[in-house]
Amino acid sequence: METKILKPTNKNMLLAASLLKQGEVIGVPTETVYGLAGDSTNSSAIEKIFKAKGRPNDNPLICHISSLEMLNFIVKKTPEDALTLAKVFWPGPLTIIMPRGERVCKESCAGLDSVGVRMPKNKIALKIIDLAGIPFSAPSANISGKPSPTNAFDVYEDMKGKIPLIIDGGECEAGVESTVVSLLENTPIILRPGVITKEDMESVLKKEVKVAKGVTQEVSNAQKVLSPGMKYKHYAPKADITILNGDLEDFCEFVKKHDEEGTYAMCFDEEKEYMPIPAISFGKKNDPKSQAHNLFSALRELDNVGAKRVFARCPQKDGVGLAVYNRLIRSAGFKIINLNCKKQI
């Protein structure tokens, strides 16, 4: 199959919408990462998504809509908290898990009775949904397990020959996938952190929002999950990654002792000049949003330079930093070393 990369002209977006209605799968930009989009109501299209990614079919997909009216046939019931959150955060990088409606195919939801829904902020994605007249389900447009793509070239690198079209919307704004919050119980639970934080939602809902243990801890492959990004090793380059939790001095001392061919450091921008081994930075130290924006590009760069082993600085574990930590700990397969240091991060 020939894979075309096209600019988001009206003609090309009409083509994208037409392909979706025909049951094809295409690469679409969003404000988080690029998505591999297929008709949420078409089982055949959803199967193509899983096949193209090499994704386990017990890993649910997120349904993308362009209006609140679309919720009527996407979900069985819309909780009041969902409307409250949607009023503030939609369009935007927030996925809300609710009871599944009949028109969303069960394959998209990994056979669950729930569905994750979001309204993307990206105007191209919204326009394609409007033109198609159907919601699309879309995981990140990469081979399963690899770092998510934040530009059209990264999508092409993974999906060449597997899909007919990628719409090039430029670099993604957020750089990490959406926050996922479950509203299936009385207390909202974050299943995947993103740039919309626990504190953001608590300020709007005026109630406690919990964070699932699976955000920072490994989940058994046998366990059913409600959200993508909770099972399996994710976001990983070919190199073996270990996170080092400690201050800069101890980090540098540690990596200096493990300086072998193909070993790289992943550090913050300001620290790159102090690294005793080759280093790739992934954002500013005290700016988690810049880390989120740059993380996946940095992980892909490790493959480009042929890194075999990587030691990564540990980001903070609250606010947007929790989203960065969540992606990095999964790319490392939960390997983390706490260094002996005076000041922990």
Side-chain angles (χ1 to χ4, degrees), residues 32 60 66 75 88 131 139 177 195 207-208 220 235 254 278 280 345:
T32 56
S66 60
V75 302
V88 176
L131 290 171
E177 299 87 350
V195 297
K207 64 194 293 186
E208 180 188 16
S220 165
Y235 322 114
F254 184 95
I280 290 173
I345 297 175

Side-chain angles (χ1 to χ4, degrees), residues 311-339:
F311 295 108
R313 293 282 275 141
C314 187
Q316 65 190 60
K317 302 172 188 175
D318 58 2
V320 177
L322 181 62
V324 181
Y325 179 76
N326 169 265
R327 302 325 190 264
L328 194 54
I329 195 71
R330 276 167 170 73
S331 73
F334 295 87
K335 295 191 298 292
I336 185 165
I337 296 174
N338 291 304
L339 302 173

Side-chain angles (χ1 to χ4, degrees), residues 216 242-252 266-268 270-271 275 282-288 291 311-318 321-322 324-325 328 336-345:
T216 57
T242 301
I243 299 172
L244 304 182
N245 185 26
D247 65 16
L248 177 60
E249 181 180 352
D250 285 334
F251 182 92
C252 290
M266 272 187 73
C267 62
F268 304 119
E270 305 91 331
E271 300 173 348
M275 290 295 119
F282 64 101
K284 298 177 181 178
K285 182 175 182 178
N286 296 314
D287 186 355
Q291 296 166 24
F311 295 108
R313 293 282 275 141
C314 187
Q316 65 190 60
K317 302 172 188 175
D318 58 2
L322 181 62
V324 181
Y325 179 76
L328 194 54
I336 185 165
I337 296 174
N338 291 304
L339 302 173
N340 293 323
C341 56
K342 299 176 183 177
K343 181 176 65 176
Q344 292 290 323
I345 297 175

Side-chain angles (χ1 to χ4, degrees), residues 197-236:
T197 66
K198 163 183 164 72
E199 294 77 16
D200 292 335
M201 285 185 278
E202 285 178 338
S203 68
V204 170
L205 294 174
K206 310 300 180 186
K207 64 194 293 186
E208 180 188 16
V209 175
K210 293 184 177 180
V211 178
K213 291 182 179 179
V215 165
T216 57
Q217 298 177 20
E218 192 167 9
V219 173
S220 165
N221 286 348
Q223 183 176 336
K224 282 191 173 183
V225 295
L226 300 176
S227 167
M230 295 189 75
K231 287 173 67 173
Y232 311 109
K233 187 177 181 180
H234 279 285
Y235 322 114

